[in-house]
Amino acid sequence: MKYEFRIEKTANPKPKPDPDTLKFGRAFSDHMLIMDYDDENGWHDGRIVPYGPIALDPAAAVLHYAQEIFEGLKAYRARDGRVLLFRPDMNAARAARSCDRICIPRLDDGLFVEAVKAIVSLERGWIPEKEGTSLYIRPFIFADEPVIGVHPAHHYKFVIICSPVGPYYDTPGGSLAATSIFVEEEYVRAFPGGTGFAKVGGNYAASLKAQGKAAARGCEQALWLDAIERKYVEEIGTSNAFFVIDGEVITAPLSGTILPGVTRDSVIALLKKWGARVSERRLSIDDVRAAAEGGRLGEVFAAGTAAVISPVGRLVFENGEITISGGKVGELSQRLYETLYGLQTGDRPDDMGWTAEV
Ligand SMILES: *Cc1c(COP(=O)(O)O)cnc(C)c1O
């Protein structure tokens, strides 16, 4: 290790939550990692301390102008006891690009992954062992300089917290379940020149309204269309969207409005390895609808760290709806899920070189 993190252990370890009733992002482990940035010292004073509130000046820039980025990844406990991360270097690279976009100084090379490993190593007792569970890791960086003025801050905090999480699906055995998705034609998530490719908090505040509309129509998530023509499919909620039409697997290109998901990249790599036809290209919602009506829409699924693969059984429009794969989990969705989950948990030999041991 290149970095030394001072460790102050908690005097009051918390009881671990019941692995059978774990929800997403409600329970947090005993410790958190913190580092500070100022112009004079750069990133410094890395420390792991008991989990707890962070004191903030009411004028802290993040509270007013949302100068904040975050990441999300998981640690799994393999059957042989190893603790595995999945492609954490990709989260590190994405965090750097997110920082650049909103003028936060990047972490030093290598620091992100070492910090993640340091906190996970200390919290390894918090990684639940039950099938489908994992330790969700949430690194984030925010401006805590107390100045009310719209300009990049000169003081930041880098923090990592950890949350034991259960299976994403509330089904027997946590098996995949088909979701309903609302096609959002009014609000947009991202636009050219904006921050769609960056994992910045502000994007998610702006998405809540559409999420509420989707929920009111009995849907789990919204499908985002492009901001200019309200025509091309972009993402599903906070995950990347894939459509299978006439055997071609299509996902939106990384043109600035799409968040470059680690899962998305892994899905594309696996599909290529399997010899599937996969295209990163624009696809209009009208083409999706026409394909469904012509019986050519094979599957739709979303890909992201939280659920890994989330099959879509129904697309709901302002006027009408379409059913996909008979409302069931598609074959490709199932195969991708099993392969990715198997790699992530160490159940499958890692022939892709994607796992990193803590
Ligand atoms: C985080 C996120 C994703 C998925 O990225 P992963 O690295 O696969 O978890 C996709 N879209 C949005 C908008 C996201 O915030």
Side-chain angles (χ1 to χ4, degrees):
M1 283 238 187
K2 201 162 120 214
Y3 297 90
E4 289 286 329
F5 299 97
R6 192 155 49 77
I7 297 180
E8 182 196 325
K9 282 202 180 163
T10 181
N12 302 301
K14 294 180 270 195
K16 310 275 192 302
D18 176 359
D20 292 328
T21 55
L22 276 178
K23 294 268 175 307
F24 191 86
R26 304 244 167 207
F28 299 96
S29 71
D30 280 327
H31 300 92
M32 60 186 182
L33 183 142
I34 305 191
M35 252 177 130
D36 288 291
Y37 174 93
D38 60 40
D39 291 345
E40 196 183 324
N41 300 300
W43 286 106
H44 66 281
D45 197 19
R47 57 207 187 268
I48 296 175
V49 296
Y51 183 95
I54 299 171
L56 274 188
D57 192 293
V62 66
L63 299 178
H64 303 274
Y65 309 119
Q67 208 189 352
E68 189 259 6
I69 73 114
F70 67 94
E71 271 302 325
L73 66 165
K74 285 173 171 175
Y76 289 94
R77 187 184 295 281
R79 282 186 214 278
D80 59 10
R82 287 178 305 151
V83 171
L84 300 176
L85 300 171
F86 188 70
R87 311 184 77 186
D89 47 313
M90 288 200 81
N91 297 93
R94 187 169 68 193
R97 291 192 303 270
S98 298
C99 281
D100 289 351
R101 178 61 183 83
I102 60 166
C103 303
I104 293 177
R106 284 179 173 211
L107 299 173
D108 311 339
D109 283 344
L111 174 55
F112 181 96
V113 174
E114 281 205 22
V116 167
K117 286 184 174 173
I119 184 75
V120 171
S121 180
L122 185 71
E123 302 294 67
R124 61 175 64 226
W126 278 88
I127 308 173
E129 288 181 20
K130 203 183 156 215
E131 169 83 19
T133 64
S134 60
L135 188 68
Y136 183 79
I137 306 157
R138 169 51 60 87
F140 56 106
I141 306 176
F142 63 93
D144 64 345
E145 187 185 18
V147 204
I148 295 190
V150 181
H151 55 71
H154 298 283
H155 198 284
Y156 297 87
K157 271 191 166 54
F158 169 39
V159 183
I160 306 179
I161 57 175
C162 302
S163 172
V165 297
Y168 195 79
Y169 295 97
D170 211 0
T171 51
S175 57
L176 288 189
T179 55
S180 296
I181 301 298
F182 178 66
V183 181
E184 176 57 57
E185 294 170 270
E186 180 188 3
Y187 299 112
V188 295
R189 190 193 85 88
F191 44 86
T195 54
F197 68 89
K199 227 166 163 76
V200 301
N203 288 347
Y204 303 82
S207 75
L208 298 176
K209 199 90 178 167
Q211 177 58 33
K213 271 174 74 183
R217 284 162 173 83
C219 293
E220 279 89 351
Q221 297 282 357
L223 169 68
W224 300 106
L225 301 177
D226 82 282
I228 307 290
E229 298 178 63
R230 306 292 163 89
K231 184 172 162 191
Y232 298 102
V233 296
E234 296 218 320
E235 299 202 51
I236 291 177
T238 57
S239 43
N240 295 110
F242 289 80
F243 299 79
V244 187
I245 298 178
D246 288 330
E248 178 193 12
V249 188
I250 306 158
T251 194
L254 300 180
S255 54
T257 56
I258 303 296
L259 198 287
V262 177
T263 320
R264 174 189 183 278
D265 188 83
S266 308
V267 163
I268 293 172
L270 284 175
L271 289 171
K272 286 186 174 160
K273 188 177 150 217
W274 296 342
R277 232 172 354 121
V278 46
S279 313
E280 296 175 63
R281 66 170 178 87
R282 298 221 286 181
L283 172 67
S284 77
I285 190 68
D286 297 335
D287 285 349
V288 172
R289 224 170 159 163
E293 277 151 16
R296 296 178 293 110
L297 179 62
E299 290 182 40
V300 177
F301 61 89
T305 295
V308 189
I309 298 292
S310 186
V312 178
R314 208 162 65 104
L315 280 180
V316 178
F317 297 80
E318 289 288 0
N319 57 345
E321 62 175 76
I322 55 180
T323 301
I324 303 143
S325 329
K328 302 227 174 56
V329 176
E331 218 171 280
L332 190 62
S333 302
Q334 188 69 37
R335 183 176 177 200
L336 282 164
Y337 175 77
E338 282 169 11
T339 307
L340 280 167
Y341 186 74
L343 288 167
Q344 290 166 342
T345 54
D347 268 1
R348 278 172 193 254
D350 181 9
D351 54 352
M352 305 299 280
W354 281 343
T355 49
E357 202 175 330
V358 172

